[in-house]
Amino acid sequence: MASQGLGKEQSIQEMVAQSRNRKGKKFIEKLMPIILIITALISVLTTIGIVFTLIFETFEFFQRVSITDYLFGREWLPFSGSEPLYGVLPLILGTLKVSVIAACVAVPLGIAAAIYLSEYASDKTRRTIKPILEVLAGVPTIVYGFFALTFVTPLLQELIPSLKIFNALSPGIVVGIMILPMIASLSEDAMSSVPNSIREGALALGATKLEVSIKVVLPAALSGIIASVVLAVSRAIGETMIVSLAGGATPTFDFNVTGSIQTMTAYIVQVSSGDAGYGTTIYYSIYAVGFTLFVFTLIMNLLAQYISKRFREEY
Amino acid sequence: MKYIDDTVVMKRMKSRLKYNSIWKMIFLIATTLALLTLVILLVRIVTQGSGYLNWDFFNNFGSRFPEKAGIKAALIGSVLLMLIIAPVSMILGVGTAIYLEEYAKKNKFTSFIQMNISNLAGVPSIVFGLLGLTIFVRMLVLGKSLLAAGFTMSLLILPVIIVASQEAIRAVPKEQREASYGMGATKWQTITRVVLPAAIPGILTGSILALSRAVGETAPLVVLGIPVILQFLPDGLLSQFTTLPLQIYDWAKRPQEAFQYVASAGIIVLMILLVIMNSIAIFIRNKFQKRY
């Protein structure tokens, strides 16, 4: 009996050993991490690809156009046959006009909506409104662009007769509507994570809900709110289809918002949808503009990360 | 004996309470304003476009004449593009997430990859278009094909899928992994038979939402130079194609007013496609997701 039991034990040990040493299995255990690390490196390669693509083609562009002309030039006229001018400032200004208008629309509304959802609304209301905000965030930008061109612009023209068909105001407002859910949702998250005990402390001292929201919750959640705004503005800077459809294609160096403008993104779209041949200066210029855009958004994103890490209140 | 005089308190509180209710209204109005835009947008597009939605619209190719314009090539192009993006982005995204959550040690290299992913998520989509134009269209000579666009879009939504998959994998409790190891399973067996089955609903939900973003995306495709009007259906991975948002973009740009209605009809089709995808994602989330 004893020897039989021992025999069984040995056979189990053998089975375990056998299973451990099975060649295919060992191979897979070694192989899979390598395959997975390769997939993880693809995302790193993507970043490297973006940076190198932009740098190489931009370098090619600066062989033909001087950097100072590009950075400080106040006229962007790449299509004027004999004397093309590549001063990027009008494009940057166009982008900033749209982004500032968008921020003016989205920041107050977004933060107000976040305060309402986090401090005033009942659980049930919050559970209905938040998904609707998500839907608003999921609407494709081409739909917003169409909305800006065919609805908001004619509406604004009723109010401001001097408004052109293509202008900075209408796409600015619509980009604001587009980034509003992002600010509302991220700010609401930041405010909801402020612990209830702090609210209750303030309420017990006789503060009204408004005072609790403005003087207690808002300061405590400020880093999250500012980070959400910076992220949203970065999204507005990179927004393409709304400004391509409703913004026009005349880069100007002024602060007028009723006339036609052109943003960095809209210029890239304009060149891509036309037929600027490969290897022409115009072809390389979209990479220079793309690089400028990339630098802008990268700085904004890093800033948002820095703010939310550095100034976060820990509870 | 009363320590607090109610009338004095009420007098002092009155204006503060009034402010409170006024501002509550303002906050409520701000919230409803956002919802109102969505309603206006939808109502306007449905009233403009529904008249053009008929069988011919689905069965015709793009055209210079609004009454003959259809969406056949664009709709099929969008679906085919999705069929390329889904496997490519999910294999890369889920693979990266498994590596980061299950294998990677907490060191500088891992946090570098993580930081890289979160920065990649903030890169404007049009920049991905420039990347695709250089790498896929020109260097790998894929041309303005389904494959080139599929790869570009896969890279665009990759960060979203990675983050969603990481969250789903992280939500699987440690005890389950330990139980699996305790039964003698190897690491890879644990991942494929314990972790992934538990995480798959979360991964699918996140991936479908990311995919719906890719379906609505226009800018990178414009940069790649994908044609907007096509008179034939794509017949292979390297074939030319067009998509719904591109077709809508083309119609919206046209000066004739009739094309506005055609564009609205196209938007209705696009939105229905997105609603279907989102419903599937929400269905999976509610039906299969376990809470531990």
Side-chain angles (χ1 to χ4, degrees):
Chain A
M1 283 299 276
S3 67
Q4 226 178 349
L6 202 68
K8 229 178 194 172
E9 232 168 72
Q10 275 174 338
S11 75
I12 288 173
Q13 276 173 352
E14 272 168 21
M15 274 163 67
V16 170
Q18 236 176 16
S19 133
R20 282 228 176 103
N21 293 332
R22 213 182 292 154
K23 246 188 171 172
K25 205 161 129 192
K26 246 189 168 171
F27 182 64
I28 283 182
E29 289 298 322
K30 287 239 168 72
L31 181 71
M32 284 328 285
I34 298 171
I35 294 180
L36 293 177
I37 205 167
I38 291 173
T39 62
L41 284 176
I42 297 273
S43 68
V44 179
L45 276 180
T46 309
T47 310
I48 296 173
I50 288 175
V51 172
F52 274 82
T53 304
L54 292 176
I55 287 179
F56 275 133
E57 308 282 33
T58 306
F59 185 75
E60 192 61 44
F61 176 72
F62 285 136
Q63 301 283 327
R64 300 155 189 234
V65 176
S66 88
I67 296 187
T68 44
D69 281 356
Y70 175 75
L71 287 180
F72 304 109
R74 291 181 179 193
E75 260 175 304
W76 183 264
L77 297 165
F79 301 106
S80 74
S82 57
E83 274 297 306
L85 287 168
Y86 293 95
V88 79
L89 288 180
L91 292 183
I92 292 178
L93 196 64
T95 304
L96 289 184
K97 273 192 247 177
V98 171
S99 308
V100 167
I101 296 169
C104 289
V105 172
V107 171
L109 286 178
I111 293 178
I115 293 176
Y116 181 78
L117 288 176
S118 145
E119 303 303 313
Y120 287 94
S122 66
D123 247 9
K124 205 180 154 196
T125 329
R126 187 175 21 231
R127 273 205 300 270
T128 13
I129 292 181
K130 266 207 127 180
I132 301 177
L133 283 178
E134 274 171 38
V135 172
L136 206 57
V139 173
T141 55
I142 181 81
V143 178
Y144 280 120
F146 180 74
F147 185 63
L149 182 65
T150 62
F151 181 74
V152 178
T153 302
L155 194 74
L156 288 172
Q157 275 177 326
E158 304 265 308
L159 302 172
I160 314 165
S162 66
L163 196 74
K164 304 268 172 21
I165 298 176
F166 298 114
N167 57 70
L169 200 57
S170 162
I173 292 171
V174 176
V175 171
I177 295 170
M178 185 199 85
I179 60 174
L180 195 158
M182 193 175 171
I183 295 181
S185 174
L186 290 178
S187 299
E188 202 264 337
D189 290 344
M191 291 168 74
S192 296
S193 64
V194 173
N196 254 336
S197 53
I198 296 185
R199 283 190 192 86
E200 281 153 9
L203 285 170
L205 289 170
T208 63
K209 255 196 170 163
L210 177 71
E211 287 157 351
V212 173
S213 313
I214 303 293
K215 294 181 183 164
V216 177
V217 178
L218 212 58
L222 200 61
S223 72
I225 293 171
I226 293 178
S228 83
V229 170
V230 176
L231 270 184
V233 171
S234 147
R235 179 73 68 83
I237 290 175
E239 167 42 42
T240 310
M241 295 327 286
I242 301 174
V243 288
S244 302
L245 271 176
T250 27
T252 50
F253 192 75
D254 56 35
F255 292 91
N256 176 14
V257 294
T258 57
S260 175
I261 55 153
Q262 186 164 45
T263 64
M264 295 189 268
T265 50
Y267 172 71
I268 299 175
V269 164
Q270 187 199 2
V271 172
S272 311
S273 41
D275 38 24
Y278 172 70
T280 58
T281 312
I282 291 180
Y283 172 82
Y284 288 116
S285 72
I286 63 174
Y287 288 92
V289 173
F291 191 44
T292 316
L293 176 71
F294 177 73
V295 170
F296 266 79
T297 52
L298 184 68
I299 290 172
M300 301 286 283
N301 289 332
L302 292 176
L303 188 69
Q305 281 168 26
Y306 175 76
I307 291 169
S308 64
K309 262 202 198 117
R310 174 73 179 73
F311 298 102
R312 183 182 292 153
E313 307 258 347
E314 299 278 357
Y315 298 105
Chain B
M1 193 176 117
K2 268 185 123 178
Y3 291 98
I4 300 172
D5 188 348
D6 277 351
T7 52
V8 174
V9 170
M10 277 324 287
K11 216 166 124 191
R12 286 204 182 157
M13 283 291 280
K14 209 174 170 188
S15 71
R16 290 166 56 203
L17 284 172
K18 205 169 80 191
Y19 272 124
N20 181 44
S21 47
I22 291 172
W23 275 96
K24 184 183 175 183
M25 281 315 290
I26 294 176
F27 293 146
L28 179 62
I29 290 168
T31 312
T32 39
L33 215 60
L35 308 183
L36 200 66
T37 7
L38 185 66
V39 174
I40 295 173
L41 194 148
L42 291 179
V43 166
R44 193 172 153 79
I45 281 164
V46 169
T47 50
Q48 272 196 339
S50 52
Y52 271 81
L53 277 182
N54 51 32
W55 181 244
D56 281 346
F57 184 67
F58 286 97
N59 217 11
N60 282 353
F61 289 102
S63 166
R64 280 184 296 128
F65 307 103
E67 59 278 5
K68 279 189 190 163
I71 210 157
K72 187 177 183 181
L75 186 58
I76 290 177
S78 275
V79 173
L80 289 178
L81 185 63
M82 222 180 344
L83 290 180
I84 296 177
I85 301 172
V88 174
S89 62
M90 278 185 72
I91 289 170
L92 293 179
V94 177
T96 307
I98 295 173
Y99 171 75
L100 287 174
E101 291 301 313
E102 302 289 326
Y103 285 99
K105 295 180 182 70
K106 273 205 158 91
N107 55 21
K108 278 199 175 143
F109 179 65
T110 309
S111 62
F112 167 71
I113 295 183
Q114 198 72 61
M115 194 195 80
N116 170 59
I117 290 166
S118 58
N119 278 320
L120 211 52
V123 173
S125 60
I126 196 162
V127 173
F128 279 91
L130 291 172
L131 171 79
L133 178 64
T134 310
I135 305 284
F136 298 126
V137 176
R138 296 220 187 273
M139 273 170 70
L140 301 178
V141 214
L142 296 175
K144 296 156 185 180
S145 61
L146 265 172
L147 210 55
F151 284 155
T152 308
M153 290 298 218
S154 302
L155 294 183
L156 173 67
I157 62 169
L158 189 58
V160 187
I161 294 187
I162 294 174
V163 172
S165 308
Q166 273 186 293
E167 273 167 18
I169 291 173
R170 215 176 294 150
V172 179
K174 223 177 174 169
E175 291 80 9
Q176 293 208 355
R177 292 185 183 87
E178 278 157 7
S180 170
Y181 292 139
M183 301 291 285
T186 60
K187 186 150 196 164
W188 182 242
Q189 284 174 328
T190 306
I191 291 171
T192 49
R193 296 179 200 176
V194 177
V195 177
L196 277 185
I200 217 91
I203 292 175
L204 275 181
T205 306
S207 304
I208 295 173
L209 290 179
L211 206 57
S212 76
R213 188 186 151 202
V215 168
E217 192 65 72
T218 326
L221 296 179
V222 176
V223 176
L224 289 184
I226 307 296
V228 283
I229 287 194
L230 225 56
Q231 299 297 335
F232 57 88
L233 294 177
D235 56 359
L237 285 176
L238 290 174
S239 170
Q240 287 208 324
F241 73 108
T242 189
T243 69
L244 280 173
L246 276 174
Q247 185 74 77
I248 294 164
Y249 174 55
D250 181 59
W251 284 331
K253 270 196 311 185
R254 285 168 186 263
Q256 303 101 306
E257 209 193 328
F259 270 113
Q260 276 192 23
Y261 300 107
V262 184
S264 294
I267 289 175
I268 295 176
V269 177
L270 177 64
M271 296 288 267
I272 290 175
L273 190 65
L274 292 181
V275 167
I276 292 173
M277 292 174 73
N278 280 284
S279 314
I280 294 173
I282 291 168
F283 174 76
I284 293 174
R285 177 160 65 191
N286 294 345
K287 177 97 180 169
F288 298 106
Q289 201 151 47
K290 283 187 217 154
R291 299 213 174 273
Y292 298 99

